[in-house]
Amino acid sequence: MAGVDYLERIPNNVNLRDDRRLLRALEEWQPRFLDWWKEMGPEGFQANEVYLRTAISVDRDGWAQFGYVKMPDYRWGIFLAEPEADRRIAFGDHLGKPAWPEVPGEYRGVLRRLIVTQGDTEPASVEQQRHLGRTCPSLYDLRNLFQVNVEEGRHLWAMVYLLHAYFGRDGREEAEALLQRRSGDHDKPRILGAFNERTSDWLSFFMFCFFTDRDGKYQLASLQESGLDPLSRTCRFMLTEEAHHMFVGEMGVGRIVQKSCELMRQHRSDDVRCYGGIDLPTMQRYINFHYSVSLDLFGSEVSTNAANAFTMGLKGRFEETKKDDDHRLVDATYPVTCLEGDRIATRDVPALTALNERLRDDYIADCQRGIDRWNRTIKEHGIDVELRLPHRGFHRAIGSFGEARISPDGRVITEAEWDARRREWLPTPEDAQFVATLMRPAVEPGRFAGWIAPPARGINGLPLDHEYVRLTRKEG
Ligand code: BYC
């Protein structure tokens, strides 16, 4: 149980009990969070028992406990990774100085903006996914969806704790606003583009977990380097949970690829739609969409915001401490590919301003590793098709490429060519309609929908036909 007060109304390892004001403020926020969860959380399953993992401690062996919980009773808590003794700031102007236990006054605004932006994505994703339960491909997948959802709820708690504990009244107001914005809402949308898109089917859900949650991994890893020690420790623990979300995405897409390949072999046909599978060209179009909107989440190629956050010691690079350079980047350059006039060019720019692009490069390499694994499955079935990541400029809204039309193979094209070919490259309304026809619930323990292969193993050593969600007492 390593330092976690699990019997408290808000489980925590930050000694909330000793800070009555903070405790009261969070206890006031808690019922509003629950109201938000009931209104915007998973629709239709709030009264069902779900086999969930709950964080009860942050050490290696004990951070997860499995058991049946009704989602509104989930113990959302505040957990920071164990402090590192004598932790020092690893980059920027304050390199080598002790990490800050409190927010430095001069960085308050920038830090608050970073924390709010991070926090905003968490409830947004729950809102995006709230209708999926009714069309789950199995109880195993339904449970995984809910696991992801409750953990995103916990990640919201993680950011709200920082806002309440370190940002006074402004922080409390921001915490309130996190419950007011709504994904996709015209008047009060979520902050970042990808979090206002619809996640209307399970193919999109798995793609979102693979591509968009992976942005979370890279952003959290950069914030984990922060000079603000509580932010660093919070992100360090969130990353342990984030890993499961990407697993759900990679395995989910991988199982669909596998099923499609099995159907292609069995029926000696590339067009598996008539056999109830999702054809590989459709998969490719979904990849193109989710990858491109996730690339936007890294911001502009050249960004003074990113340079400032680094120089101030607030947001580092991915694996900052493992990098073998001066960690100040004052004279360094970094190659950035962007649009120059009507052509795509790579040029060296000051490394400080290129930090978004550098993180995007790390992310792209990681995405490619997943694509390679899916391609191995295709190859193992003797099928001569390869899934690909489109060019980084394809279908972008943020950064220099947002001003032009780029084809998946990286050509600057005319609006006319874009209009003529976008149906080849991005999911069409017909694709979405077709995928929607497959979204019929498979809720008998051990049954899987016909468009997705079963996973290799169940959860926490349990068999695949375990009743991961008890549906006997359904809500309304
Ligand atoms: N959409 O200098 P720029 C996760 C704005 S995901 C809309 O290019 P900067 C999760 C930007 O705010 C991880 N607006 O970018 C995943 C700025 O506005 P202001 C989330 C955008 O500031 C799945 C202006 O454009 N965490 O955890 O260097 C499920 C110029 O900005 C977008 C974070 O994002 C966009 N895509 O970097 C659940 C970490 N991109 O200031 C959870 C915290 C940029 O001019 N956030 N803009 O009004 C950050 O580090 C930075 O805010 C960004 C942008 C990386 C997002």
Side-chain angles (χ1 to χ4, degrees):
M1 291 268 210
V4 173
D5 203 338
Y6 199 63
L7 298 174
E8 295 278 354
R9 211 166 116 191
I10 304 169
N12 70 90
N13 68 350
V14 292
N15 291 329
L16 267 190
R17 193 199 292 248
D18 297 340
D19 188 340
R20 304 305 297 178
R21 261 185 72 171
L22 176 59
L23 178 63
R24 232 185 357 261
L26 286 167
E27 282 181 350
E28 274 173 29
W29 188 81
Q30 188 176 39
R32 290 199 284 280
F33 166 80
L34 279 172
D35 288 346
W36 166 82
W37 177 269
K38 286 178 194 154
E39 188 196 329
M40 295 311 296
E43 188 194 54
F45 294 89
Q46 303 277 353
N48 296 105
E49 294 189 317
V50 186
Y51 186 71
L52 290 176
R53 173 179 81 177
T54 305
I56 60 161
S57 89
V58 295
D59 55 24
R60 185 193 284 265
D61 302 321
W63 72 277
Q65 162 182 283
F66 287 85
Y68 282 97
V69 187
K70 289 180 189 158
M71 283 184 278
D73 300 335
Y74 188 77
R75 305 300 312 276
W76 284 284
I78 299 164
F79 306 111
L80 271 57
E82 294 296 336
E84 263 173 46
D86 190 32
R87 180 168 171 262
R88 304 265 153 177
I89 299 172
F91 58 94
D93 281 354
H94 304 283
L95 179 71
K97 303 247 175 69
W100 307 303
E102 299 280 339
V103 176
E106 66 271 35
Y107 299 153
R108 211 178 145 87
V110 183
L111 267 168
R112 192 182 59 214
R113 182 175 159 277
L114 288 172
I115 291 169
V116 166
T117 308
Q118 177 64 49
D120 190 69
T121 62
E122 317 289 1
S125 68
V126 175
E127 291 165 2
Q128 287 172 294
Q129 296 162 13
R130 66 187 298 259
H131 301 297
L132 290 173
R134 296 202 185 279
T135 58
C136 65
S138 70
L139 286 186
Y140 165 91
D141 290 294
L142 185 62
R143 177 268 169 201
N144 280 348
L145 167 71
F146 295 156
Q147 183 70 54
V148 168
N149 292 160
V150 293
E151 284 176 353
E152 302 301 8
R154 208 203 67 71
H155 290 182
L156 171 60
W157 269 95
M159 292 300 123
V160 163
Y161 162 70
L162 294 175
L163 290 169
H164 273 265
Y166 298 98
F167 293 88
R169 189 178 165 161
D170 303 356
R172 290 195 292 280
E173 283 172 10
E174 292 285 11
E176 227 27 66
L178 285 168
L179 297 177
Q180 302 305 324
R181 287 186 285 273
R182 290 286 182 274
S183 173
D185 189 303
H186 217 69
D187 300 324
K188 40 181 177 123
R190 291 294 174 183
I191 296 171
L192 299 174
F195 294 90
N196 289 303
E197 300 286 347
R198 285 164 56 91
T199 309
S200 39
D201 57 65
W202 281 75
L203 176 58
S204 303
F205 170 64
F206 291 130
M207 292 282 176
F208 181 96
C209 290
F210 182 84
F211 288 110
T212 308
D213 275 282
R214 194 171 306 274
D215 169 52
K217 167 182 164 183
Y218 282 86
Q219 299 296 345
L220 289 173
S222 307
L223 292 173
Q224 172 189 266
E225 304 290 344
S226 182
L228 179 62
D229 204 43
L231 174 61
S232 164
R233 289 173 57 203
T234 303
C235 292
R236 188 144 41 98
F237 184 59
M238 288 165 77
L239 277 164
T240 7
E241 294 164 316
E242 201 67 32
H244 173 255
H245 308 179
M246 286 177 298
F247 164 86
V248 168
E250 177 163 349
M251 292 302 146
V253 177
R255 286 159 54 208
I256 302 173
V257 168
Q258 176 168 344
K259 187 68 184 199
S260 304
C261 292
E262 287 167 10
L263 291 170
M264 285 165 81
R265 284 268 296 253
Q266 187 184 344
H267 299 285
R268 298 176 186 283
S269 164
D270 289 351
D271 184 10
V272 292
R273 282 194 180 196
C274 51
Y275 306 108
I278 304 179
D279 51 297
L280 295 179
T282 301
M283 300 288 287
Q284 181 65 61
R285 286 192 286 278
Y286 274 70
I287 289 172
N288 292 351
F289 175 78
H290 287 273
Y291 175 64
S292 55
V293 298
S294 302
L295 285 183
D296 274 341
L297 293 172
F298 291 82
S300 308
E301 295 83 4
V302 174
S303 162
T304 47
N305 284 345
N308 291 339
F310 183 86
T311 305
M312 294 168 179
L314 309 182
K315 183 179 175 189
R317 289 169 294 176
F318 181 64
E319 300 189 327
E320 181 70 46
T321 46
K322 293 190 190 159
K323 296 204 186 311
D324 189 17
D325 58 23
D326 72 351
H327 300 279
R328 287 183 193 270
L329 305 180
V330 182
D331 300 317
T333 59
Y334 189 82
V336 164
T337 303
C338 49
L339 196 69
E340 278 189 359
D342 57 0
R343 59 184 205 98
I344 295 172
T346 302
R347 66 188 164 100
D348 285 338
V349 303
L352 273 177
T353 60
L355 287 165
N356 285 345
E357 196 59 9
R358 183 166 190 158
L359 196 61
R360 191 166 16 237
D361 283 344
D362 292 331
Y363 167 85
I364 291 174
D366 200 12
C367 289
Q368 186 59 51
R369 287 190 282 273
I371 297 271
D372 292 345
R373 285 190 284 272
W374 298 333
N375 280 335
R376 270 204 290 283
T377 302
I378 300 176
K379 207 165 173 200
E380 278 160 18
H381 284 81
I383 296 166
D384 189 21
V385 175
E386 276 197 351
L387 298 171
R388 289 208 169 93
L389 293 177
H391 187 271
R392 69 177 69 214
F394 171 75
H395 187 236
R396 291 284 302 282
I398 301 281
S400 81
F401 293 114
E403 294 156 22
R405 295 295 191 191
I406 313 292
S407 64
D409 59 0
R411 287 176 301 113
V412 183
I413 56 173
T414 60
E415 198 65 29
E417 183 174 356
W418 174 264
D419 288 343
R421 300 194 61 185
R422 70 169 288 159
R423 290 176 51 86
E424 287 170 43
W425 297 334
L426 287 169
T428 62
E430 294 77 26
D431 288 336
Q433 269 163 25
F434 167 70
V435 172
T437 64
L438 300 178
M439 298 295 121
R440 280 180 303 232
V443 291
E444 300 77 15
R447 192 161 90 79
F448 286 81
W451 51 270
I452 186 165
R457 60 189 68 84
I459 290 148
N460 196 27
L462 292 172
L464 290 185
D465 62 0
H466 187 76
E467 195 179 9
Y468 289 106
V469 183
R470 291 182 176 145
L471 294 180
T472 38
R473 284 191 28 201
K474 239 196 187 144
E475 219 183 32

